[in-house]
């Protein structure tokens, strides 16, 4: 159970306003909002609330007990789930108001504009929130599908201590657009601090799709997101400020696996440096700008702590004649500060890099507790090819290299292979492509 001092970024519970408790005073969150007026606070006690909610253009605060106690354990215990709502229902809708959302898990949404949260024409603070397993989907060609996790338009949004994961923006047919698996933002001011954006999927901008906005990102991790075009983060006509942002292990079929800037002017913090590494692209033979693709007006200074390689080529960053790099480490020089180490919160097997590969590839994983770990390579028929390790390991982050050899030390054939991580009761598999 984690406790901390509650700092609500400029807003607080108004002791002179009405506080409505759910379910004690009102059986549902929406009925509490319906009965609220500007300035009121709705406190939601632990439980799973199967409903879609709208702020009804009201300037209110909506929070779990995290809001009043500072205890972040209430986040996972207080769930707003729209799975039983009508088709194409965003879980949380915030329109034309000044609002705050604190201490929830938002899930089960299936809106066209924002599966989890739709924010339009508003000023909003989102604190201590998990936005997970929401979808923008459908076969209608009337509208683009934008923002599997969040859709933000013409708004000012501040997010802190937020996890945006496993959201999808995709349509049933191949026509039309689906953008921003995690976040779609347009014509807005966006501030992200201590935010994780991971395992989201879209046709374009798997993690984030940002249009005509000037976001500020501090202590942000963008990892394991995927798209047909631009897997990690895509900026168009935007001017982001990036401070200690890590963009890694994202993947794409076109554009950049990591980050792409079109007619944009990003600023990389020279003190709190960013990291861009291990992103990949499955399309061949043209592979340029896998980690960073820049189509800006002026030359760009890219100041990084870690990049995939110390001396970038067009394969990793494009176009080189408009980029100047200041890089401290490549992925072989990654270090861990043991004095500030925090154990991972979950088991996870990351995508290998590079992928496709020849002759070797790096496989990364993390475990949150002491576990018996097995890492095994299989071919497409399910036959074991190689065992990369089987031992008892303490919690932490690990990297293993596979050199493309089988158990007998012979080079494997060109084709698809699978790597399976087993740790305790956890099991996860990734797909790898070996090319000669």
């Amino acid at each position: 159970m984690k406790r901390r001092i509650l700092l609500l970024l400029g807003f607080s519970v108004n002791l002179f306003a009405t506080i409505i408790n759910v379910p004690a005073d009102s059986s549902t969150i929406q009925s509490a909002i319906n009965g609220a007026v500007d300035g009121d606070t709705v406190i939601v006690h632990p439980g799973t609330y199967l409903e879609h909610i709208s702020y009804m253009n009201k300037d209110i605060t909506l929070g779990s007990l995290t809001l009043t106690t500072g205890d972040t354990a209430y986040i996972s215990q207080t769930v707003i789930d729209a799975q039983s709502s009508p088709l194409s229902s965003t879980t949380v809708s915030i329109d034309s108001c000044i609002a705050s959302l604190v201490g929830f898990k938002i899930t089960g949404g299936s809106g066209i504009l924002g599966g989890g949260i739709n924010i339009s024409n508003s000023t909003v603070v989102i604190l201590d929130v998990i936005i997970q397993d929401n979808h923008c989907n459908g076969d209608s060609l009337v509208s683009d599908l934008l923002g599997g996790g969040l859709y933000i338009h013409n708004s000012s949004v501040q997010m802190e201590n937020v996890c945006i994961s496993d959201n999808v923006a995709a349509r049933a047919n191949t026509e039309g657009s689906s953008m921003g698996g995690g976040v779609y933002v347009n014509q807005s001011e966006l501030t992200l601090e201590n935010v994780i954006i991971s395992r989201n999927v879209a046709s374009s901008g798997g993690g984030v799709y940002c249009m005509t906005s000037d976001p500020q990102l501090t202590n942000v991790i963008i990892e394991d997101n995927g798209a047909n075009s631009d897997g990690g983060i895509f900026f168009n006509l935007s001017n982001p400020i990036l401070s200690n942002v890590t963009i890694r292990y994202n993947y794409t079929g076109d554009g950049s696996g990591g980050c792409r800037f079109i007619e944009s002017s990003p600023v990389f913090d020279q003190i709190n440096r960013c990291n861009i590494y291990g992103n990949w692209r499955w399309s061949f033979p043209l592979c340029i700008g896998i980690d960073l693709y820049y189509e800006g007006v002026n030359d760009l200074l890219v100041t990084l702590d870690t990049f995939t390689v110390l001396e970038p080529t067009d394969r990793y960053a494009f176009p080189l004649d408009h980029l100047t790099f200041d890089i401290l480490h490549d992925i072989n020089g990654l270090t861990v500060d043991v004095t500030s180490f925090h154990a991972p919160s979950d088991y996870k097997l990351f995508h290998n890099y590079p992928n496709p590969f020849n002759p070797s590839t790096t496989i990364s994983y993390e475990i949150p507790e002491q576990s018996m770990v097995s890492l095994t390579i299989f071919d497409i028929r399910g036959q074991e090819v190689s065992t990369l390790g089987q031992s008892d390991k303490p919690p932490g982050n690990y990297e293993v290299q596979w050199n493309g050899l089988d158990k007998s030390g012979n080079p494997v054939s060109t084709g698809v292979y699978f790597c399976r991580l087993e740790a305790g009761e956890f099991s996860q598999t990734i797909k790898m492509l070996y090319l000669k």
Side-chain angles (χ1 to χ4, degrees), residues 230-246:
D230 303 309
I233 187 165
F234 174 87
F235 295 101
N236 190 3
L237 297 170
S238 300
N239 302 302
I241 299 175
L242 308 174
S243 178
N244 191 27
V245 176
T246 296

Side-chain angles (χ1 to χ4, degrees), residues 58-384:
K58 296 178 180 180
D59 300 345
I60 59 174
T61 295
L62 176 63
S64 70
L65 293 183
T66 297
L67 175 65
T68 54
T69 67
D71 189 345
T72 57
Y74 287 113
I75 299 171
S76 60
Q77 299 173 19
T78 316
V79 181
I80 305 175
D81 188 343
Q83 66 175 345
S84 61
S85 297
L87 187 64
S88 298
S89 292
T90 300
T91 307
V92 178
S93 298
I94 305 173
D95 189 9
S96 303
C97 61
I98 300 172
S100 56
L101 180 69
V102 183
F104 291 95
K105 179 178 178 180
I106 307 297
T107 190
S110 57
I112 293 174
L113 300 180
I117 302 176
N118 179 308
I119 302 173
S120 300
N121 311 307
S122 298
T123 299
V124 180
V125 171
I126 300 176
L127 178 65
D128 292 331
V129 168
I130 297 171
I131 304 165
Q132 187 175 41
D133 291 323
N134 300 279
H135 303 268
C136 278
N137 53 28
D139 55 9
S140 171
L141 300 182
V142 175
S143 300
D144 291 331
L145 302 178
L146 308 175
L150 293 96
Y151 170 86
I152 302 169
H153 174 70
N154 193 35
S155 296
S156 176
V157 178
Q158 190 171 358
M159 288 193 282
E160 183 176 347
N161 302 328
V162 173
C163 179
I164 305 165
S165 67
D166 304 293
N167 303 285
V168 177
R171 59 176 66 251
N173 54 52
T174 58
E175 302 294 332
S177 299
S178 57
M179 297 175 280
V183 181
Y184 177 89
V185 55
N186 183 30
Q187 297 179 355
S188 297
E189 296 179 3
L190 176 64
T191 301
L192 304 182
E193 185 172 356
N194 300 328
V195 172
I196 297 175
I197 302 172
S198 67
R199 302 189 304 273
N200 303 285
V201 177
S203 293
S204 183
V208 178
Y209 193 104
C210 181
M211 281 280 296
T212 57
S213 301
D214 298 330
Q216 297 185 36
L217 281 65
T218 304
N219 302 332
V220 174
I221 296 176
I222 301 169
E223 65 181 9
D224 267 343
N225 303 283
N228 292 331
S229 177
D230 303 309
I233 187 165
F234 174 87
F235 295 101
N236 190 3
L237 297 170
S238 300
N239 302 302
I241 299 175
L242 308 174
S243 178
N244 191 27
V245 176
T246 296
I247 304 170
R248 63 186 182 188
Y249 311 135
N250 303 284
Y251 54 96
T252 189
D254 192 16
S256 177
C259 51
R260 186 176 184 181
F261 306 94
I262 296 181
E263 296 187 46
S264 300
S265 299
V267 175
F268 288 88
D269 193 319
Q270 298 186 40
I271 304 298
N272 298 307
R273 294 181 175 225
C274 297
N275 308 284
I276 305 174
Y277 60 86
N279 302 285
W280 58 283
R281 175 173 162 174
W282 67 75
S283 61
F284 276 84
L286 180 63
C287 263
I288 56 176
I290 293 175
D291 284 308
L292 190 153
Y293 201 116
Y294 177 67
E295 299 172 75
V297 177
N298 302 312
D299 290 352
L300 177 63
L301 172 62
V302 184
T303 305
L304 301 172
D305 180 276
T306 302
F307 194 65
T308 302
V309 292
L310 279 175
E311 298 182 2
T313 62
D314 280 346
R315 174 179 176 83
Y316 299 103
F318 183 84
L320 289 180
D321 56 351
H322 289 287
L323 299 170
T324 301
F325 282 92
D326 179 1
I327 302 170
L328 298 182
H329 308 102
D330 62 13
I331 55 176
N332 295 317
L334 289 174
T335 59
V336 176
D337 181 1
V338 296
T339 63
S340 60
F341 173 75
H342 296 282
S345 60
D346 203 356
Y347 292 95
K348 188 170 186 182
L349 175 63
F350 296 98
H351 292 286
N352 62 304
Y353 60 91
N355 190 37
F357 69 95
N358 182 359
S360 64
T361 188
T362 299
I363 301 163
S364 303
Y365 64 93
E366 59 187 31
I367 56 176
E369 58 188 0
Q370 187 89 18
S371 304
M372 178 60 69
V373 174
S374 172
L375 202 63
T376 310
I377 306 297
F378 297 90
D379 63 20
I380 199 167
R381 297 169 295 177
Q383 297 180 339
E384 184 176 317

